[in-house]
Amino acid sequence: MKNTCLLFLLLWGNMKTTAQDAVPKDYFANPLKIPMQLAGSFAECRPNHFHTGIDLKTNNQENLPVLAAADGFISRISVSHAGYGYCLYMQHPNGYTTVYGHLNKYMPEVMAYVKQQQYKQQKWNVDLQLNSKQFVYKKGAQIAYSGNTGGSTAPHLHFEIRNTRTELVMDPLLFGLPIKDNIAPKAGTLAFYDADNYYEASPLLVSLKPPVKKKGAAPMSDVVTVPYAQTMIGIDAKDYINGSSNWLGISFMQLYFDERPVATIHNTELNFDHNRAVNAYADFRTYSNKGIWMHGLYKLPNNPLDVYSGMVKNGLLDIGDGKVHNIKIVMQDAFGNTTTVNKQIQYKTKAGVVACRGRFNAGQRHYYKHYTGNMYCNLPAKVFYDDVCFTVKEVLMPGQYSSQFDILRQAVPAHDYFELGLKLIKPVPAALRGKLIFMHKIPKSNLPGSNSQEAQAAEWKDGFAMAKVRSFGSYSVGIDTTAPKIVRLNATQKQSIQFTVTEEKTSIAAVKGYINNQWVCFSRKGNTYTYIPDEYCPAGKSTIRLVATDENGNESVYSSTFMK
């Protein structure tokens, strides 16, 4: 058996070397003029997504020169208050595309083109596709300035390398970039799951720190007692790199059960279509409750990720015989630094059994109608990663527009949107039917931008409030007639005009600014909207008007005069 395991490791090592040798190692250069230091790495677990590039530190400064990593042309430009903020996509003749995110601004010729398109479309947030002759740059030429835009929380440069044809995103550290790392990954906690009741039974969390032995106490066993005969394993694993305290993602993990490899994970390539499945790769519940990302050394039945190989029973371990079993976990970063965790486990009967009266199988479409007739939901086949005991509790709310329904728990992830309907038990005037909302707290990590929401818009349909939703938890129906709030920040400032626009319950759907009835371009950072007077703002006295609407069409208008 030992020889077999050794052969497997050698074969895997050869395959890994071949795969990495297939990418060019000296083609792409540092996109900054300062040494490369990582603040974030590829395939880190983030709320509802994997991190799809590396984050390069900019010495906590903005407006550092950003350079073309290789010869090529700008193929796409996107501007948004969320995600990558100001972002450039550069296509190269070797079949790869590099991405530069959270920029403050582009080069003057590119900024002029973007502004032209913004005024043409009358939108600040644009996504532009370009041809191969518009903006061509040589390797090392400046293409932009670093910043802190979009979903960024501190100045840095987000850098990606994608396969142009497939649009798969790859770990940039495989391409021989000048980064030093000789620090191996570290693990803090093991988790053991009930494979038969993954979402219902609480995981057993075991610290990997050496236990403190009290003087005179009986010797402690090194064997972990696991209460699940069919178990799966997760690990709290973090990588670190020279010169940085930031924790990073793990490139490779392999699980051995009694010296037999049963699960292998390669985090070197990701498909954006499957990015939300980080909630299946990692233990969504433990992250939601404790803020710990437990990397799963298993694959849930309806997990679409392609990062797994050599899976034996999808990583499920049968320890029901009550014997002591050995587990070994090998973790490796992109530079080959390796850590091995060894543990002995043994099954002992647990007290109590999880009762399940309404099991919904993963990978199947389900329609549920509450027995009172006051609620229904239509769940596509991609909603659940694993089977669930589907529970719904109705709470009567006298005088309200609907009952409150507690649907499963927010700690159960939903991969796809599903249709939810709540019956209106209080008459809604026709004039207010377009103002219905689902009262349901949505954390900002689940949304673009930087704001959480207390509700989302719903529509009236045959006596029900209905909407497509993407999380479980508590839902009830309300009415939203409150318009967004507009506040002028710098009434005496002439160089720029700024407002904050906030929404009490749902989200801002649109904000439009006008100078003397001419649309002008307001940029957005969080809730702050800024207009820098340009050629569309004449000298002298002008009228500025800002119009803000929310999801339900509630509208606020601010108007005043100013001098340029």
Side-chain angles (χ1 to χ4, degrees), residues 98-242:
T98 51
V99 181
Y100 311 78
H102 307 308
L103 306 169
N104 261 1
K105 55 184 177 180
Y106 315 124
M107 299 309 288
E109 64 272 19
V110 180
M111 289 297 294
Y113 174 76
V114 171
K115 182 176 180 179
Q116 178 192 53
Q117 293 300 311
Q118 288 171 326
Y119 272 87
K120 181 179 179 180
Q121 299 181 29
Q122 294 197 357
K123 293 193 307 181
W124 171 74
N125 52 311
V126 291
D127 194 341
L128 309 172
Q129 304 294 326
L130 286 76
N131 65 54
S132 61
K133 301 187 185 305
Q134 286 177 270
F135 299 108
V136 181
Y137 296 92
K138 301 295 288 184
K139 184 176 184 176
Q142 185 175 352
I143 57 174
Y145 293 85
S146 69
N148 186 28
T149 58
S152 174
T153 56
H156 72 280
L157 174 67
H158 176 87
F159 180 69
E160 292 180 10
I161 299 179
R162 301 183 185 183
N163 183 306
T164 302
R165 181 181 61 82
T166 66
E167 295 190 350
L168 294 176
V169 60
M170 305 179 68
D171 186 350
L173 299 184
L174 300 178
F175 290 78
L177 295 170
I179 297 174
K180 181 182 178 181
D181 179 13
N182 56 19
I183 302 174
K186 299 178 182 179
T189 306
L190 282 177
F192 297 89
Y193 302 91
D194 184 349
D196 296 324
N197 299 282
Y198 179 76
Y199 288 121
E200 284 69 48
S202 298
L204 170 67
L205 302 181
V206 178
S207 174
L208 290 171
K209 295 180 180 179
V212 178
K213 296 184 179 182
K214 295 182 180 179
K215 188 176 181 180
M220 290 183 285
S221 173
D222 290 331
V223 178
V224 177
T225 299
V226 178
Y228 310 124
Q230 307 289 314
T231 192
M232 301 184 299
I233 295 178
I235 188 167
D236 167 26
K238 296 181 175 69
D239 187 37
Y240 295 88
I241 199 166
N242 298 57

Side-chain angles (χ1 to χ4, degrees), residues 435-452:
K435 307 295 184 183
L436 293 173
I437 54 173
F438 278 153
M439 300 299 297
H440 175 71
K441 178 97 175 163
I442 309 173
K444 65 181 181 181
S445 60
N446 288 12
L447 298 162
S450 59
N451 299 314
S452 59

Side-chain angles (χ1 to χ4, degrees), residues 42-335:
F42 187 78
E44 282 179 20
C45 297
R46 304 277 178 94
N48 294 304
H49 70 284
F50 288 100
H51 189 234
T52 52
I54 56 175
D55 287 341
L56 300 176
K57 293 184 178 182
T58 57
N59 295 335
N60 205 32
Q61 298 176 14
E62 299 181 23
N63 295 316
L64 297 187
V66 175
L67 315 176
D71 293 357
F73 67 93
I74 295 175
S75 57
R76 180 183 171 193
I77 304 171
S78 65
V79 177
S80 173
H81 74 286
Y84 297 162
Y86 281 85
C87 184
L88 287 180
Y89 300 72
M90 194 165 186
Q91 192 168 317
H92 308 283
N94 68 338
Y96 293 96
T97 294
T98 51
V99 181
Y100 311 78
H102 307 308
L103 306 169
N104 261 1
K105 55 184 177 180
Y106 315 124
M107 299 309 288
E109 64 272 19
V110 180
M111 289 297 294
Y113 174 76
V114 171
K115 182 176 180 179
Q116 178 192 53
Q117 293 300 311
Q118 288 171 326
Y119 272 87
K120 181 179 179 180
Q121 299 181 29
Q122 294 197 357
K123 293 193 307 181
W124 171 74
N125 52 311
V126 291
D127 194 341
L128 309 172
Q129 304 294 326
L130 286 76
N131 65 54
S132 61
K133 301 187 185 305
Q134 286 177 270
F135 299 108
V136 181
Y137 296 92
K138 301 295 288 184
K139 184 176 184 176
Q142 185 175 352
I143 57 174
Y145 293 85
S146 69
N148 186 28
T149 58
S152 174
T153 56
H156 72 280
L157 174 67
H158 176 87
F159 180 69
E160 292 180 10
I161 299 179
R162 301 183 185 183
N163 183 306
T164 302
R165 181 181 61 82
T166 66
E167 295 190 350
L168 294 176
V169 60
M170 305 179 68
D171 186 350
L173 299 184
L174 300 178
F175 290 78
L177 295 170
I179 297 174
K180 181 182 178 181
D181 179 13
N182 56 19
I183 302 174
K186 299 178 182 179
T189 306
L190 282 177
F192 297 89
Y193 302 91
D194 184 349
D196 296 324
N197 299 282
Y198 179 76
Y199 288 121
E200 284 69 48
S202 298
L204 170 67
L205 302 181
V206 178
S207 174
L208 290 171
K209 295 180 180 179
V212 178
K213 296 184 179 182
K214 295 182 180 179
K215 188 176 181 180
M220 290 183 285
S221 173
D222 290 331
V223 178
V224 177
T225 299
V226 178
Y228 310 124
Q230 307 289 314
T231 192
M232 301 184 299
I233 295 178
I235 188 167
D236 167 26
K238 296 181 175 69
D239 187 37
Y240 295 88
I241 199 166
N242 298 57
S244 176
S245 60
N246 299 77
W247 65 266
L248 308 173
I250 304 295
S251 294
F252 167 79
M253 293 188 297
Q254 192 165 45
L255 171 65
Y256 290 82
F257 181 57
D258 290 335
E259 300 187 13
R260 179 191 181 195
V262 295
T264 303
I265 298 171
H266 299 266
N267 288 324
T268 55
E269 187 176 78
L270 291 170
N271 185 330
F272 281 102
D273 291 340
H274 302 156
N275 210 9
R276 188 178 173 87
V278 67
N279 296 330
Y281 166 85
D283 172 9
F284 182 82
R285 170 176 48 190
T286 298
Y287 173 73
S288 298
N289 294 336
K290 298 179 180 293
I292 301 173
W293 288 110
M294 304 299 302
H295 299 251
L297 292 154
Y298 52 84
K299 184 178 182 182
L300 297 180
N302 212 24
N303 176 356
L305 288 171
D306 298 323
V307 300
Y308 306 94
S309 63
M311 304 299 290
V312 178
K313 295 183 179 178
N314 281 334
L316 184 150
L317 309 180
D318 185 349
I319 60 173
D321 56 13
K323 297 179 181 179
V324 175
H325 294 275
N326 298 308
I327 61 168
K328 179 173 70 173
I329 301 171
V330 179
M331 304 178 298
Q332 193 173 81
D333 64 20
F335 296 91

Side-chain angles (χ1 to χ4, degrees), residues 225-523:
T225 299
V226 178
Y228 310 124
Q230 307 289 314
T231 192
M232 301 184 299
I233 295 178
I235 188 167
D236 167 26
K238 296 181 175 69
D239 187 37
Y240 295 88
I241 199 166
N242 298 57
S244 176
S245 60
N246 299 77
W247 65 266
L248 308 173
I250 304 295
S251 294
F252 167 79
M253 293 188 297
Q254 192 165 45
L255 171 65
Y256 290 82
F257 181 57
D258 290 335
E259 300 187 13
R260 179 191 181 195
V262 295
T264 303
I265 298 171
H266 299 266
N267 288 324
T268 55
E269 187 176 78
L270 291 170
N271 185 330
F272 281 102
D273 291 340
H274 302 156
N275 210 9
R276 188 178 173 87
V278 67
N279 296 330
Y281 166 85
D283 172 9
F284 182 82
R285 170 176 48 190
T286 298
Y287 173 73
S288 298
N289 294 336
K290 298 179 180 293
I292 301 173
W293 288 110
M294 304 299 302
H295 299 251
L297 292 154
Y298 52 84
K299 184 178 182 182
L300 297 180
N302 212 24
N303 176 356
L305 288 171
D306 298 323
V307 300
Y308 306 94
S309 63
M311 304 299 290
V312 178
K313 295 183 179 178
N314 281 334
L316 184 150
L317 309 180
D318 185 349
I319 60 173
D321 56 13
K323 297 179 181 179
V324 175
H325 294 275
N326 298 308
I327 61 168
K328 179 173 70 173
I329 301 171
V330 179
M331 304 178 298
Q332 193 173 81
D333 64 20
F335 296 91
N337 301 303
T338 304
T339 295
T340 301
V341 174
N342 292 284
K343 212 72 180 172
Q344 290 184 311
I345 62 174
Q346 184 178 25
Y347 168 67
K348 288 192 177 179
T349 306
K350 63 177 179 178
V353 178
V354 175
C356 182
R357 282 178 273 180
R359 185 172 291 276
F360 281 11
N361 295 324
Q364 296 180 12
R365 178 178 290 275
H366 297 278
Y367 181 84
Y368 174 90
K369 186 175 181 179
H370 197 259
Y371 70 91
T372 61
N374 291 337
M375 169 266 189
Y376 74 87
C377 55
N378 192 359
L379 302 143
K382 292 182 180 180
V383 170
F384 297 115
Y385 298 115
D386 199 3
D387 301 346
V388 299
C389 292
F390 195 76
T391 58
V392 176
K393 179 182 178 183
E394 181 177 11
V395 180
L396 297 177
M397 301 178 68
Q400 300 301 311
Y401 287 99
S402 76
S403 297
Q404 174 183 298
F405 283 88
D406 299 326
I407 307 167
L408 281 174
R409 303 165 299 283
Q410 277 199 306
V412 176
H415 184 73
D416 201 1
Y417 287 93
F418 61 95
E419 182 180 302
L420 174 65
L422 300 185
K423 188 174 183 179
L424 298 165
I425 57 177
K426 176 181 176 181
V428 178
L432 293 179
R433 288 179 180 176
K435 307 295 184 183
L436 293 173
I437 54 173
F438 278 153
M439 300 299 297
H440 175 71
K441 178 97 175 163
I442 309 173
K444 65 181 181 181
S445 60
N446 288 12
L447 298 162
S450 59
N451 299 314
S452 59
Q453 288 182 204
E454 298 297 323
Q456 75 171 80
E459 63 180 81
W460 188 92
K461 185 178 180 180
D462 299 328
F464 280 77
M466 186 276 290
K468 295 289 185 68
V469 299
R470 209 178 189 181
S471 62
F472 297 106
S474 175
Y475 284 89
S476 61
V477 178
I479 298 287
D480 178 19
T481 57
T482 304
K485 184 178 180 181
I486 303 175
V487 176
R488 176 79 181 268
L489 294 181
N490 54 353
T492 60
Q493 177 63 261
K494 294 184 179 181
Q495 286 73 31
S496 67
I497 301 172
Q498 287 190 322
F499 297 88
T500 60
V501 182
T502 54
E503 164 61 12
E504 181 181 354
K505 292 185 173 68
T506 59
S507 69
I508 302 296
V511 172
K512 294 184 178 183
Y514 302 88
I515 300 291
N516 301 330
N517 295 320
Q518 160 72 48
W519 182 90
V520 291
C521 192
F522 272 83
S523 63

